[in-house]
Amino acid sequence: RATIVRQIAVARVDERTARRCGHRALAVSFDRRTGRVLLELTNGCVFGFPAQTIPELARATASARAAVELSPGGGALQWEQLDVHLSIPGLLRAFV
């Protein structure tokens, strides 16, 4: 039990750090005009990337791309009908 309590405390600190650093998103949208997925990050930054750079999204229709959602904690993007899940930290590492 003590181990689990320590793990929970560490996980909470890690989550606060991830939010402060902008490794979580508050909002996501798909801009059909530019073809970009746009994120508002928890640190106030806005980040966007061309959807076509993700192979599964490159093959998808604009309507399917627009069906993007945030995971409950804001740590990932999800396109359920495409079965595509991308982590926010992974995207930031890939594009920045």
Side-chain angles (χ1 to χ4, degrees):
R1 176 162 157 69
T3 300
I4 292 174
V5 171
R6 279 194 304 277
Q7 290 172 338
I8 291 170
V10 169
R12 287 181 176 153
V13 169
D14 290 348
E15 180 62 20
R16 282 193 299 272
T17 301
R19 289 188 167 281
R20 189 176 54 254
C21 293
H23 294 169
R24 300 292 182 264
L26 298 172
V28 63
S29 63
F30 175 68
D31 184 331
R32 289 175 188 255
R33 186 180 60 79
T34 64
R36 287 189 185 106
V37 177
L38 303 171
L39 304 168
E40 179 184 346
L41 301 175
T42 52
N43 65 356
C45 292
V46 175
F47 170 73
F49 66 93
Q52 68 191 23
T53 60
I54 307 297
E56 297 84 358
L57 298 179
R59 294 187 293 266
T61 65
S63 294
R65 291 176 186 171
V68 61
E69 298 177 342
L70 285 176
S71 66
L77 303 180
Q78 306 173 154
W79 287 264
E80 289 299 329
Q81 75 182 81
L82 300 173
D83 194 27
V84 174
H85 307 271
L86 305 173
S87 79
I88 303 296
L91 286 168
L92 294 172
R93 280 191 298 273
F95 288 101
V96 177

